[in-house]
Amino acid sequence: MAVIFQGVGAAAALASSPSNSFDSNKSVFAPRRSFSVRKGASFAVVRSDGTVNLNPKDRRAQLLISNAVATKADSAAASSSSKPGHELLLFEALLEGLEEEMERDPHVCVMGEDVGHYGGSYKVTKGLAKKFGDLRVLDTPIAENSFTGMGIGAAMTGLRPVVEGMNMGFLLLAFNQISNNCGMLHYTSGGQFTIPIVIRGPGGVGRQLGAEHSQRLESYFQSIPGIQMVACSTPYNAKGLMKAAIRSENPVILFEHVLLYNLKERIPDEDYICNLEEAEMVRPGEHVTILTYSRMRYHVMQAAKTLVNKGYDPEVIDIRSLKPFDLFTIGNSVKKTHRVLIVEECMRTGGIGASLTAAITENFNDYLDAPIMCLSSQDVPTPYAGTLEEVTVVQPAQIVTAVEQLCQ
Amino acid sequence: MASAFSAAKFSAQPFPLNHTSTTSHDSSIVFAKPTSLFLGSTRKLRLTSSSKFNLSRRSGTVDAVSDVVKQKKSKSSPSLLITKEEGLELYEDLVLGRAFEDMCAQMYYRGKMFGFVHLYNGQEAVSTGFIKLLKQQDSVVSTYRDHVHALSKGVPARAVMSELFGKTTGCCRGQGGSMHMFSREHNVLGGFAFIGEGIPIATGAAFTSKYKREVLKEADCDHVTLAFFGDGTCNNGQFFECLNMAALWKLPIVFVVENNLWAIGMSHLRATSDPQIYKKGPAFGMPGIHVDGMDVLKVREVAKEAIGRARRGEGPTLVECETYRFRGHSLADPDELRDPAEKAHYAARDPITALKKYLIENSLASEAELKTIEKKIDEVVEDAVEFADESPVPARSQLLENVFADPKGFGIGPDGRYRCEDPKFTEGTAHV
């Protein structure tokens, strides 16, 4: 098993280029809004046996497989107290964001299966029940439709619940409440009731979890009017988006990914949020705009290394906001590069990429030199077999090929 | 004063009919003779046709209120169930519900309102019996048959009528319609088009009440939530899931089943394996009560106990109100399936007639006083129609308002500004 992590404080031998210090106040494109600009995120692969592989073309290494033990050992070695901020894993960043918001506002509460005594099946709510009590961190029975509805009713009457779907796929059972009530009640009540709820949980294709546990619900929820959807991909934006979602008066669905929970990063000590409606510039470039989100960001960055070696200069944007799209950041990029590649883990039919393609075509058609390319997962239920699962999702090699095709 | 709802009584065995709606001070109300159980024996279920069955279900069962009172008078010192003021308040609310719904039917056939309109005629005793016991901060959650619940809770008739006409002055700015009556001021949390949908919402409102008391330390927060729904809903998963959660966490909620025997054209008896809904309460650890929903005073007595239980933090109660809707499921329903004999049977038990009789026979009110109330209500309803007629229809610009509480949710446009900052935004399209 290998682990890929992105860290500033990584041992010197591993880092190929230093990351910028985190400066959430400066932005490259729009001075009036704050963006986090992250240049040249570095990657290295550390195997659990301690050997280091700087060449991540190894097929196995390309899979983001989390190994909590390995990362714990590394974090002890890698963190250096002289640098600003503190290092943590993505699930800890979510936990930190959630905990800070619960301290800040006593109306914030958590509901879900195994969030309390168990600490969350991905440890995102670890320790919270002890600290805040069993009512604020509520262990629910297995009744997604009803406890999501209960969360919505609580939100209407003054609380700010954070509802966890143990796996996003389980929220299919809550579709009734999410579509009919969460999305609609603010409107059908003529604005009388707000629903400041956050619905969050892990989704995406994991490591041979089987078809039902590997679903991407963002494409199913995207049509629901009245909700916002965001997808986190780094500890930094995980914490930032969690806090922003909790503070938002709108219902927000926060998509996490099963394979990203053990990503490590150094994040600022001070309070910060990530704007819910903004996209994140991961790597500025000139030749092609690659739009992605969640786990595929890492496959894209993997491919980017190869592309850079081949002489291409891709601009990578993590769209983060799946609904609504940040057409400003995306548009500026399209206007610069004139070529767009979308890389997503959704299925092709009716996915986020499909909507994004339509939005870009409608708004920026004149700026395109080539048709938009969209790489999505295959329209199949995710197979259990590892070899088949691997080809269900987009791999870095396909991204490289696609860019080469686009840039001909 | 013994509570009629001691847990042991209810959680142990099925609830026999002859213990229904006892009040704390009178245990001698006569109910069904032991031979006629709530829905007849299971044998009967298979042998008789459904229409005959419905009648036999009700035969020789519950006495009318006036008979009860006569009995009480002869046994002990007279103690009426209500005072004159309460009586008039209840009567007014019943008449308001009836007159309003009758006016809705008229307006619908005149083309003033459209879509699905579900009228409450015949069931008024349940709404009045329960909701008139609530405080303003208590919450009510209903279904699509929600006009009268909103009215009982205090939403002005004008606001409800305007909403039905789709005008901006409606309680939901014309955006909700008949099936989505909401009022923040009066804590009416809807109004839901799909059955069962509102029950989790009600559970959430009750959760907030408990949270406020225990986490936010608002020690005097004893707000109660009432969830109204029908017999069809009692076969839906959300019903059972919420019974479980409410009992588990002892939420201050009362689940009120308005069992009118019909889910559009589906008879309750054809849809439900065990039609005695109140029995489902004890299965989840809460009392299950059955009450005559055509009798507002009986409903009120049961409601007092159930609401009191919730307020004291003793947890939820399931109340099954045996009631009937005089009209079809909605104004689009020709109502051909129900047996005319069944309809006649219940028409004879009209809750308004029953209360009128009670008030007059017990000298709580005179005919003239009641007539005055009826006249007043007629004026209120006429005024509501006039108001709704004269109110403006929503402008095009209202389309995109209230989609988001924070309109930044519409996102950032290509020019870098939030779409909602654009003054022309509401005239555009909503897609992002």
Side-chain angles (χ1 to χ4, degrees):
Chain A
M1 290 246 274
V3 59
I4 298 178
F5 69 93
Q6 175 189 34
V8 170
L14 302 181
S16 48
S17 64
S19 299
N20 279 355
S21 60
F22 298 90
D23 187 345
S24 51
N25 291 322
K26 284 210 195 115
S27 75
V28 173
F29 297 103
R32 52 202 288 275
R33 281 196 327 276
S34 60
F35 256 64
S36 67
V37 180
R38 310 279 313 283
K39 287 194 160 83
S42 62
F43 279 91
V45 176
V46 179
R47 293 190 180 283
S48 50
D49 59 3
T51 58
V52 171
N53 184 355
L54 276 171
N55 182 356
K57 284 208 175 115
D58 182 352
R59 185 179 66 73
R60 291 271 305 281
Q62 283 165 6
L63 288 170
L64 280 172
I65 300 157
S66 22
N67 183 330
V69 175
T71 46
K72 248 198 233 167
D74 293 325
S75 66
S79 67
S80 46
S81 47
S82 56
K83 294 228 158 87
H86 56 286
E87 241 178 14
L88 41 50
L89 306 180
L90 194 145
F91 79 86
E92 289 168 339
L94 289 167
L95 170 54
E96 206 173 82
L98 184 49
E99 195 173 342
E100 283 174 20
E101 289 305 297
M102 287 179 81
E103 278 166 4
R104 187 173 169 268
D105 182 353
H107 294 88
V108 180
C109 55
V110 181
M111 298 176 185
E113 295 157 10
D114 273 331
V115 296
H117 294 187
Y118 195 76
S121 42
Y122 291 92
K123 295 176 283 186
V124 175
T125 50
K126 189 168 169 203
L128 294 183
K130 276 216 178 70
K131 184 169 175 185
F132 295 107
D134 279 351
L135 207 57
R136 271 191 91 179
V137 187
L138 187 73
D139 277 323
T140 62
I142 306 173
E144 277 80 5
N145 201 15
S146 293
F147 71 69
T148 305
M150 192 176 90
I152 295 166
M156 284 167 75
T157 44
L159 300 187
R160 305 187 80 92
V162 178
V163 173
E164 171 171 313
M166 192 188 271
N167 184 288
M168 279 312 227
F170 301 168
L171 293 185
L172 287 173
L173 287 122
F175 212 115
N176 176 19
Q177 291 289 339
I178 293 174
S179 173
N180 282 342
N181 289 346
C182 186
M184 291 193 195
L185 289 188
H186 185 70
Y187 193 79
T188 54
S189 68
Q192 290 181 84
F193 291 98
T194 58
I195 304 169
I197 194 174
V198 177
I199 297 172
R200 51 154 292 271
V205 176
R207 179 101 161 87
Q208 294 190 256
L209 300 178
E212 287 168 66
H213 283 85
S214 311
Q215 300 189 71
R216 284 75 76 196
L217 256 53
E218 54 267 23
S219 53
Y220 304 168
F221 289 142
Q222 68 175 321
S223 295
I224 299 173
I227 57 158
Q228 283 186 249
M229 306 197 308
V230 289
C232 64
S233 49
T234 66
Y236 179 80
N237 64 34
K239 180 176 175 184
L241 290 173
M242 170 73 93
K243 293 178 73 125
I246 292 173
R247 293 185 195 182
S248 172
E249 293 303 313
N250 296 335
V252 179
I253 303 185
L254 169 56
F255 290 91
E256 302 153 14
H257 197 287
V258 278
L259 294 182
L260 300 185
Y261 279 127
N262 283 357
L263 281 183
K264 195 198 299 186
E265 189 180 4
R266 182 168 285 272
I267 65 169
D269 290 326
E270 61 270 14
D271 198 48
Y272 72 93
I273 60 160
C274 288
N275 222 320
L276 289 175
E277 298 88 20
E278 282 177 20
E280 187 179 316
M281 176 64 64
V282 183
R283 182 190 188 282
E286 297 288 327
H287 292 159
V288 61
T289 300
I290 306 181
L291 302 172
T292 182
Y293 66 91
S294 192
R295 180 211 175 183
M296 285 298 122
R297 167 186 173 141
Y298 295 94
H299 281 203
V300 167
M301 291 311 291
Q302 205 61 51
K305 288 179 88 72
T306 313
L307 288 168
V308 164
N309 288 340
K310 291 189 173 195
Y312 295 94
D313 187 20
E315 178 154 292
V316 179
I317 295 176
D318 182 339
I319 61 172
R320 249 170 38 184
S321 176
L322 307 180
K323 180 183 162 92
F325 296 133
D326 178 0
L327 288 183
F328 183 62
T329 309
I330 293 170
N332 284 348
S333 182
V334 175
K335 289 174 188 174
K336 186 166 64 155
T337 68
H338 312 294
R339 288 176 164 80
V340 178
L341 170 66
I342 300 170
V343 180
E344 57 164 2
E345 202 174 311
C346 254
M347 284 177 270
R348 185 68 187 83
T349 307
I352 299 289
S355 299
L356 193 48
T357 305
I360 295 172
T361 310
E362 271 166 19
N363 287 288
F364 308 114
N365 194 39
D366 286 343
Y367 297 95
L368 291 170
D369 282 348
I372 301 172
M373 276 192 79
C374 186
L375 295 179
S376 322
S377 296
Q378 300 291 320
D379 277 348
V380 300
T382 311
Y384 166 74
T387 43
L388 290 180
E389 182 187 69
E390 204 185 301
V391 297
T392 311
V393 298
V394 179
Q395 298 295 342
Q398 292 165 269
I399 302 171
V400 172
T401 314
V403 170
E404 288 174 333
Q405 246 184 308
L406 254 185
C407 290
Q408 262 160 11
Chain B
M1 158 171 122
S3 164
F5 290 31
S6 59
K9 200 172 178 183
F10 296 106
S11 51
Q13 60 255 353
F15 191 37
L17 186 61
N18 48 14
H19 282 288
T20 53
S21 52
T22 48
T23 58
S24 53
H25 55 269
D26 182 7
S27 54
S28 61
I29 297 178
V30 174
F31 290 99
K33 310 197 180 11
T35 47
S36 57
L37 294 174
F38 175 46
L39 284 157
S41 66
T42 41
R43 248 145 100 279
K44 266 195 185 162
L45 259 171
R46 287 181 200 98
L47 295 175
T48 53
S49 69
S50 57
S51 57
K52 271 202 203 147
F53 196 148
N54 290 333
L55 273 185
S56 64
R57 163 214 197 206
R58 317 284 190 161
S59 62
T61 53
V62 190
D63 293 333
V65 180
S66 50
D67 293 339
V68 170
V69 173
K70 278 193 193 128
Q71 269 178 334
K72 282 162 70 176
K73 269 189 174 163
S74 61
K75 288 196 172 184
S76 52
S77 56
S79 58
L80 297 172
L81 291 169
I82 46 169
T83 65
K84 172 174 182 149
E85 269 158 11
E86 288 169 345
L88 293 177
E89 189 195 0
L90 296 179
Y91 190 76
E92 186 171 328
D93 197 53
L94 289 176
V95 172
L96 174 61
R98 181 67 59 86
F100 189 92
E101 298 291 71
D102 282 339
M103 184 59 80
C104 279
Q106 267 193 60
M107 293 298 114
Y108 189 83
Y109 294 126
R110 284 201 208 158
K112 300 287 184 85
M113 58 178 87
F114 300 92
F116 293 128
V117 179
H118 309 83
L119 299 182
Y120 202 71
N121 299 49
Q123 300 182 196
E124 297 88 353
V126 181
S127 177
T128 302
F130 266 95
I131 300 181
K132 282 314 185 193
L133 290 170
L134 297 180
K135 303 187 292 199
Q136 175 146 16
Q137 304 95 322
D138 295 324
S139 301
V140 165
V141 176
S142 179
T143 61
Y144 44 71
R145 206 178 297 281
D146 56 350
H147 308 167
V148 178
H149 294 135
L151 292 171
S152 291
K153 193 63 172 56
V155 181
R158 282 182 161 194
V160 182
M161 192 59 84
S162 288
E163 184 61 32
L164 293 169
F165 282 29
K167 306 291 181 87
T168 53
T169 47
C171 53
C172 301
R173 304 181 77 204
Q175 289 168 192
S178 168
M179 300 185 279
H180 302 280
M181 292 293 167
F182 286 84
S183 168
R184 169 137 234 144
E185 188 191 335
H186 300 280
N187 288 300
V188 177
L189 270 54
F192 293 91
F194 288 16
I195 61 160
E197 253 184 353
I199 306 178
I201 301 287
T203 310
F207 179 82
T208 301
S209 173
K210 182 180 167 94
Y211 189 98
K212 280 186 177 159
R213 193 172 43 238
E214 294 181 17
V215 176
L216 302 179
K217 307 295 185 202
E218 292 171 27
D220 52 353
C221 178
D222 60 354
H223 304 158
V224 166
T225 305
L226 299 185
F228 291 92
F229 48 93
D231 43 283
T233 308
C234 294
N235 293 324
N236 188 277
Q238 287 169 102
F239 168 64
F240 298 110
E241 290 172 5
C242 289
L243 283 187
N244 179 45
M245 293 196 292
L248 187 62
W249 297 316
K250 285 207 152 94
L251 299 182
I253 185 173
V254 183
F255 297 99
V256 184
V257 182
E258 295 171 322
N259 183 354
N260 58 22
L261 281 184
W262 292 89
I264 308 187
M266 187 63 164
S267 157
H268 175 58
L269 304 168
R270 292 182 68 219
T272 317
S273 56
D274 184 345
Q276 295 171 283
I277 300 171
Y278 67 87
K279 279 159 68 174
K280 297 174 184 179
F284 289 93
M286 72 176 82
I289 316 298
H290 172 267
V291 67
D292 175 8
M294 304 305 278
D295 184 329
V296 67
L297 297 179
K298 288 195 187 135
V299 172
R300 189 178 155 91
E301 290 307 303
V302 168
K304 268 190 203 162
E305 278 283 353
I307 293 171
R309 249 181 67 84
R311 260 198 231 294
R312 290 188 298 271
E314 290 165 26
T317 312
L318 176 66
V319 181
E320 179 184 359
C321 303
E322 187 186 314
T323 184
Y324 201 75
R325 52 170 165 80
F326 293 158
R327 289 180 177 267
H329 163 73
S330 72
L331 288 172
D333 175 16
D335 194 19
E336 290 160 347
L337 259 182
R338 302 192 299 173
D339 188 353
E342 181 186 85
K343 294 189 211 178
H345 175 83
Y346 282 99
R349 287 165 60 185
D350 188 325
I352 295 178
T353 325
L355 184 64
K356 187 172 192 168
K357 192 165 172 229
Y358 180 88
L359 292 174
I360 291 177
E361 282 178 4
N362 291 285
S363 311
L364 285 171
S366 65
E367 280 266 9
E369 282 174 315
L370 298 181
K371 274 254 170 325
T372 317
I373 291 179
E374 286 160 27
K375 200 158 174 299
K376 172 184 165 196
I377 293 300
D378 278 339
E379 279 167 23
V380 165
V381 175
E382 288 278 353
D383 168 76
V385 172
E386 256 182 59
F387 175 78
D389 255 336
E390 288 162 14
S391 295
V393 287
R396 170 73 171 81
S397 55
Q398 196 183 310
L399 181 68
L400 302 185
E401 292 171 13
N402 308 134
V403 177
F404 289 106
D406 179 358
K408 296 219 294 278
F410 282 115
I412 300 165
D415 61 358
R417 289 195 298 165
Y418 276 100
R419 289 166 188 273
C420 56
E421 288 170 22
D422 180 349
K424 283 196 170 291
F425 174 61
T426 52
E427 292 165 42
T429 52
H431 70 256
V432 294

